[in-house]
Amino acid sequence: MANKFKLLITLSVLTGIGMISILAIWLYGSYNNRLELFLSSAERSMFNVVQDVYQAHSNDIKREQGGALGTLRKNLRSKYTDAEIDTLFKDLVSSYKGRPFRGDAGMHQDYKQKHLNGKSGGELMAPYLFSQIKISDALIAEIKEKFHSALEAKGVRADYEITTELFPRDSLFAIRKEYRAKKLSWTRPIMIDAVESKFLIVKFKHVWKNLLFDLGWQLGIAILLVSIFIGSFIYLFKTIFRQNRLAEMQKAFVNNMTHELKTPVSTVMTAIEAIQLYGVRHDHEKMDRYLAISRNELDHLSDMIDRVLQLDVDEHTGLKLDKSQVDLIQVLKDAANTFGINVNKQVLISLDLDIPFLSINADISHLRNVINNLLENSVKYSGDPVDIKIAVQEYADHVEFTVSDQGKGIAPEYQKEIFEMFFRVPEGNLHQVKGFGIGLAYVRQVIVQHGGKISVKSSLNKGSTFIIKLPK
């Protein structure tokens, strides 16, 4: 059985680890996808902002433009609009990409050598856009302001900074690879000055906060699934351990019951055998003694059978109660007066009953059994003489009576378990007090079916007090 439990626990743990790992991989992949989408959106916003800035300053460029391009633009204005001329120039630059422009006196020689004959380094902005725009602090500030407005329009509230960096175009891929390897949430460089190889980079800080907010539903589902699994796992093993413990207690109960039933039967058989085989029938004194022994053992056997029969074997219907109006004070007095007759200890029961009459709706037979069980426990687990106190209190909607003793007491860790079926407080390999662990389980069952509650206050070597609350 232990090996099966170990195997079950191992398989469950491995299943849990596998499930959590799959969810973690799923969330990590979703996070990376969101990060890529977030950075791509930021890059598009910056690209659009830079284009808008170029368009805003294009008139200044056109006015200051000289050389062949300036002359060509002046000649074309008689037939075409500025927008059509801009489109024509862009197509012209695209078709001649990789070769210098002849006659473009306004284009810097360094630019023609470094960029038009070079290969693209992965920047977002085409070099020709800012080839003749003067990059100033005011222009950078304008780009930053418009980019901030673009992010606000998309509902992005991220912490970031926009920096300008200088590095060769052919090193862009290596630079991007480096900061991606460092898990930096930076956008791709956007060229703003082709001559000086100046780029704009948006550096986001703590972007994970925004991404986790976007992943809220996925994260919620993952947490829910993990919580359900862990809860089910805990509940499963609590149930398994409880059932295993119950099986052990039932086994101990059967062993104890077998021994307890076998002892009186063996004693009676021995007495009868002595009467039949050894001529005791002619010795009236011995015969009476053997018959008295047999009668006591049979009474003990009958008492044990009654205790077992008191328990309800039907968990669905419970005990069958025959309720009527009962005077609780009288029931307690009768129990106190008759209980000490059949015990082998000196029992002193004191009654603290200030109320002369207290009527409750209860099954008198089961109520008497409850009181007798509590008194018997006090006697069994106390020394000699036994001092028991019974007290009653009346409240607006219920009554409360207590049974207190000065016995050996119950350890705190067992005070809830004593009401479970077959449970007995551990005392090593041998219990000094005989019993089956069913008495208090029966008491709780009766009280609960009456709509009441039972609890215990106890300290080791100082005694126990059982508190019973019953509705009126």
Side-chain angles (χ1 to χ4, degrees):
M1 183 65 71
N3 292 331
K4 291 182 179 179
F5 280 142
K6 289 180 181 179
L7 178 61
L8 179 60
I9 293 174
T10 302
L11 292 176
S12 300
V13 170
L14 291 177
T15 302
I17 293 174
M19 176 180 173
I20 294 174
S21 300
I22 291 173
L23 288 174
I25 293 172
W26 174 58
L27 287 175
Y28 183 72
S30 299
Y31 175 85
N32 285 333
N33 290 336
R34 293 277 183 175
L35 179 60
E36 292 293 333
L37 290 174
F38 178 83
L39 293 177
S40 297
S41 177
E43 290 168 356
R44 285 195 300 270
S45 298
M46 178 58 78
F47 180 83
N48 292 334
V49 166
V50 172
Q51 278 191 324
D52 291 341
V53 171
Y54 167 73
Q55 293 295 336
H57 291 267
S58 62
N59 291 331
D60 296 336
I61 298 174
K62 295 167 188 175
R63 284 194 300 268
E64 296 175 1
Q65 195 171 43
L69 288 178
T71 303
L72 180 61
R73 178 181 290 277
K74 291 178 181 179
N75 294 333
L76 291 174
R77 279 180 178 170
S78 61
K79 295 183 180 181
Y80 302 98
T81 63
D82 283 340
E84 292 172 335
I85 294 172
D86 288 341
T87 302
L88 178 62
F89 277 19
K90 292 177 182 179
D91 293 340
L92 181 62
V93 172
S94 299
S95 63
Y96 281 92
K97 188 176 181 182
R99 293 179 294 172
F101 288 101
R102 296 178 182 177
D104 187 3
M107 185 163 300
H108 296 284
Q109 185 66 25
D110 291 340
Y111 169 74
K112 291 189 289 183
Q113 292 177 354
K114 291 182 180 179
H115 300 288
L116 292 183
N117 290 327
K119 296 182 179 179
S120 174
E123 72 280 0
L124 280 177
M125 189 61 65
Y128 71 85
L129 282 180
F130 283 91
S131 62
Q132 296 180 12
I133 294 180
K134 183 178 180 180
I135 305 302
S136 62
D137 293 338
L139 186 66
I140 298 299
E142 182 181 353
I143 292 175
K144 291 181 179 180
E145 182 179 355
K146 289 187 175 183
F147 181 71
H148 181 73
S149 300
L151 290 187
E152 283 190 341
K154 292 183 177 182
V156 178
R157 297 291 186 270
D159 185 17
Y160 66 92
E161 64 174 343
I162 300 177
T163 63
T164 57
E165 305 285 345
L166 297 174
F167 40 77
R169 289 181 62 204
D170 55 5
S171 65
L172 290 181
F173 287 118
I175 293 172
R176 287 191 62 208
K177 184 177 180 181
E178 179 182 355
Y179 70 67
R180 287 298 172 88
K182 294 180 179 180
K183 305 296 182 182
L184 299 176
S185 301
W186 295 358
T187 61
R188 284 184 292 173
I190 299 178
M191 175 175 284
I192 58 172
D193 192 336
V195 175
E196 297 183 4
S197 292
K198 184 179 289 186
F199 297 85
L200 278 180
I201 300 177
V202 183
K203 299 179 180 180
F204 288 96
K205 302 176 181 179
H206 310 298
V207 71
W208 59 268
K209 296 179 180 179
N210 301 74
L211 298 180
L212 287 182
F213 181 79
D214 293 338
L215 289 171
W217 68 271
Q218 293 173 309
L219 190 61
I221 291 176
I223 293 174
L224 178 62
L225 291 175
V226 172
S227 300
I228 291 174
F229 174 79
I230 293 176
S232 302
F233 181 83
I234 293 174
Y235 177 77
L236 172 65
F237 281 98
K238 278 188 174 180
T239 303
I240 291 175
F241 287 130
R242 182 180 177 85
Q243 293 298 324
N244 185 51
R245 186 177 181 183
L246 181 60
E248 291 177 353
M249 289 190 296
Q250 288 176 332
K251 182 178 179 180
F253 166 77
V254 171
N255 293 336
N256 191 19
M257 175 64 77
T258 302
H259 174 74
E260 292 293 330
L261 292 176
K262 190 174 182 180
T263 300
V265 171
S266 299
T267 304
V268 172
M269 290 181 64
T270 301
I272 294 175
E273 185 178 341
I275 294 173
Q276 291 178 336
L277 301 179
Y278 300 104
V280 178
R281 69 180 68 183
H282 301 294
D283 189 337
H284 295 289
E285 183 178 352
K286 287 185 179 181
M287 185 173 181
D288 291 339
R289 187 168 74 249
Y290 288 155
L291 291 176
I293 293 173
S294 299
R295 175 61 185 268
N296 289 335
E297 292 298 324
L298 290 174
D299 288 340
H300 178 58
L301 179 61
S302 177
D303 181 65
M304 287 190 293
I305 294 173
D306 289 339
R307 286 180 179 276
V308 175
L309 293 177
Q310 282 177 348
L311 294 173
D312 175 42
V313 294
D314 190 344
E315 296 180 356
H316 300 285
T317 61
L319 294 170
K320 296 180 180 179
L321 301 180
D322 184 13
K323 292 185 178 181
S324 61
Q325 290 300 315
V326 176
D327 181 8
L328 178 61
I329 302 298
Q330 189 60 47
V331 174
L332 292 172
K333 287 180 178 179
D334 292 342
N337 292 333
T338 60
F339 181 77
I341 297 176
N342 297 322
V343 296
N344 297 324
K345 295 181 181 179
Q346 181 182 352
V347 179
L348 176 61
I349 301 177
S350 59
L351 302 174
D352 184 7
L353 309 175
D354 297 333
I355 306 171
F357 179 82
L358 183 55
S359 178
I360 62 172
N361 188 29
D363 186 313
I364 188 171
S365 176
H366 285 295
L367 185 59
R368 284 174 177 167
N369 289 335
V370 166
I371 298 170
N372 286 332
N373 269 287
L374 295 176
L375 293 175
E376 184 175 341
N377 275 349
S378 295
V379 172
K380 287 195 299 184
Y381 295 100
S382 297
D384 193 2
V386 182
D387 187 7
I388 302 174
K389 181 180 179 180
I390 299 176
V392 177
Q393 292 287 335
E394 181 180 14
Y395 297 93
D397 58 347
H398 71 279
V399 299
E400 178 182 300
F401 71 92
T402 60
V403 178
S404 305
D405 60 58
Q406 298 179 356
K408 63 193 303 182
I410 305 167
E413 60 267 25
Y414 301 125
Q415 291 181 11
K416 290 184 178 180
E417 297 178 284
I418 59 174
F419 297 106
E420 295 181 4
M421 187 74 71
F422 308 125
F423 180 80
R424 300 195 68 194
V425 176
E427 293 183 353
N429 296 327
L430 181 63
H431 286 275
Q432 298 179 357
V433 179
K434 293 182 179 182
F436 306 111
I438 59 178
L440 289 176
Y442 165 76
V443 169
R444 184 188 65 172
Q445 189 176 19
V446 172
I447 298 302
V448 169
Q449 287 198 235
H450 275 83
K453 297 179 181 179
I454 182 171
S455 58
V456 63
K457 292 181 179 180
S458 182
S459 299
L460 284 175
N461 303 319
K462 293 184 179 180
S464 304
T465 298
F466 287 88
I467 305 166
I468 295 93
K469 297 179 181 180
L470 291 171
K472 288 186 175 180

